[in-house]
């Protein structure tokens, strides 16, 4: 294991923010991780995997451990399902494509989400009607202080909308090393009800889609409105979609009859943050190299050399304007470091 000093993290976060790590180690096996944990026992360690859900606003004056443990295993079950385990350092989209090539169904709607497998459970990634928790069985994690391994069941992960125990009680306490999913090997249960997927399939005259067709539709939709982090730095949705009470929603709808929304239950309604932000006039705005994406106002972007602070300033302006105009508080989805 090589320790690098004053290492630039630009290549290690999808926003492409150029901050440095005092010390940086890339680990490629669980054994190496255990060695690092025992050697740096009393030191603060910062775990970095795909860097796809964070905004780095300052240099990391700590040891940064980049998780690059690779490997995928699958075990067919007698009931036509398959247990597929991927190590934390696998690229998420490559893993989804591996599943599709092997005809394992369940993750196709989550195609093209940036990041690594190990961070997917932290925010319970979700898109186009599917969330990670729908097929998640367990994840192995190692305690950062104890060096002890624990397997978290789905229940223990306390999954919610873009949320889990790893963003709350267990925050910064564990490194996830492996994630196991239960997928279908036959008789796939397709989720194509999301309007944009239906439209993309209809355009191609596909009436009985395969999991590959769904994946391709999702890829097409994502490419049409979300910026590719390898071209324009970003972390996907910067904010969560706020959930408001039906009373508040009804008043809002009286003024904005066209407001898009998803009913959650009798008393709560989710409204798209992207719509609220667009109504405040931010869509496509740019300040230097930092801005709001022109096709999806929920995504903040780094066109070239923006600093984390510049992106953070825009996010605060947005939160303030949305509060002023709609009295709704926007919560960040991205972790601000
Ligand atoms: N909208 C606008 N203006 C915008 C953006 C959206 O009016 O600039 C409106 C759209 O017209 C639509 C509604 O808002 O009526 C919803 O938009 P969209 O389908 O693009 O989804 P979203 O709610 O903005 C969520 C997830 C995305 C996920 C999509 C598809 C969150 C925070 N974001 O976005 O997740 O891909 O649904 O399922 O829940 C991510 O988490 O990084 C992410 C990209």
């Amino acid at each position: 294991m090589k320790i690098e000093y004053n290492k630039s993290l630009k290549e290690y976060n999808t926003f492409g923010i150029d901050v440095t790590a005092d010390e940086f180690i890339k680990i490629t096996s669980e054994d190496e991780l255990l060695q690092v944990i025992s050697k740096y026992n009393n030191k603060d360690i910062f775990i970095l995997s795909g860097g796809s859900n964070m905004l780095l606003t300052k240099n990391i004056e700590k040891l940064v451990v980049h998780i690059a443990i690779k490997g995928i295993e699958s075990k067919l079950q007698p009931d036509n399902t398959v247990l597929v385990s991927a190590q934390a350092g696998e690229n998420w989209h490559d893993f989804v494509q591996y599943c599709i090539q092997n005809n394992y169904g369940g993750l196709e709607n989550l195609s093209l989400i940036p990041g690594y497998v190990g961070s997917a459970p932290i925010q319970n990634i979700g898109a186009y009607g599917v969330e990670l928790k729908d097929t998640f069985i367990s994840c192995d994690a190692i305690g950062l202080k104890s060096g002890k391994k624990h397997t978290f069941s789905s229940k223990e992960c306390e999954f919610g909308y873009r949320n889990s125990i790893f963003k709350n009680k267990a925050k910064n306490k564990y490194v996830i090393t492996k994630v196991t999913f239960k997928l279908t090997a036959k008789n796939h249960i397709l989720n194509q009800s999301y309007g944009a997927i239906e439209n993309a399939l209809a355009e191609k005259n596909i009436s009985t889609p395969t999991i590959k067709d769904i994946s391709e539709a999702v890829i097409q939709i994502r490419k049409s409105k979300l910026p590719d982090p390898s071209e324009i730095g970003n972390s996907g949705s910067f904010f969560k979609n706020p959930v408001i009470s039906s009373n508040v929603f009804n008043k809002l709808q009286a003024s904005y009859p066209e407001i898009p929304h998803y009913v959650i239950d009798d008393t709560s309604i989710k409204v798209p943050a992207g719509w609220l932000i667009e109504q405040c006039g931010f869509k496509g705005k740019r300040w230097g190299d930092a801005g709001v994406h022109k096709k999806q106002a929920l995504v903040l972007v780094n066109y070239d050399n923006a600093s984390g602070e510049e992106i953070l300033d825009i996010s605060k302006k947005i939160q303030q304007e949305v509060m002023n105009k709609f009295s709704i508080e926007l919560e960040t989805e991205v972790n601000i470091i």
Side-chain angles (χ1 to χ4, degrees), residues 128 161-162 194 225 237 239 241 272 278 283 296-297 333:
Y128 305 104
Y161 165 59
R162 296 293 192 277
Y194 204 91
K225 58 166 114 174
S237 303
F239 302 99
N241 284 335
E278 181 170 352
K283 195 169 183 172
Q296 166 53 292
E333 202 225 276

Side-chain angles (χ1 to χ4, degrees), residues 91-240:
N91 172 285
W92 175 264
H93 178 65
D94 293 347
F95 170 58
V96 172
Q97 292 307 301
Y98 164 92
C99 293
I100 288 162
Q101 275 151 22
N102 285 281
N103 196 30
Y104 302 153
L107 299 179
E108 53 283 353
N109 295 50
L110 304 179
S111 297
L112 212 61
I113 295 184
Y116 286 10
V117 167
S119 30
I122 298 176
Q123 56 149 340
N124 179 27
I125 57 170
Y128 305 104
V130 170
E131 286 183 325
L132 167 127
K133 74 172 173 57
D134 302 337
T135 48
F136 176 97
I137 292 290
S138 63
C139 64
D140 290 353
I142 292 178
L144 270 177
K145 287 273 177 269
S146 65
K148 288 206 178 108
K149 191 173 191 169
H150 181 73
T151 301
F152 284 82
S153 66
S154 184
K155 189 159 179 261
E156 279 175 281
C157 287
E158 298 174 11
F159 288 124
Y161 165 59
R162 296 293 192 277
N163 208 357
S164 78
I165 192 170
F166 303 107
K167 281 184 119 178
N168 298 293
K169 290 202 282 275
K171 189 171 178 174
N172 299 335
K173 295 205 169 110
Y174 290 91
V175 190
I176 295 173
T177 52
K178 185 166 97 175
V179 188
T180 301
F181 299 88
K182 186 178 192 172
L183 304 177
T184 47
K186 268 189 189 166
N187 307 327
H188 304 305
I189 304 150
L190 301 181
N191 192 324
Q192 62 195 80
S193 56
Y194 204 91
I197 296 186
E198 271 179 356
N199 296 343
L201 294 171
E203 263 171 36
K204 290 187 188 164
N205 287 320
I206 299 173
S207 51
T208 49
T210 61
I211 54 172
K212 188 162 190 278
D213 293 328
I214 303 266
S215 170
E216 282 171 1
V218 168
I219 291 172
Q220 182 190 325
I221 300 161
R222 289 189 75 99
K223 281 190 169 162
S224 74
K225 58 166 114 174
L226 295 170
D228 177 350
S230 66
E231 288 161 18
I232 302 177
N234 75 92
S235 264
S237 303
F238 198 89
F239 302 99
K240 290 185 190 180

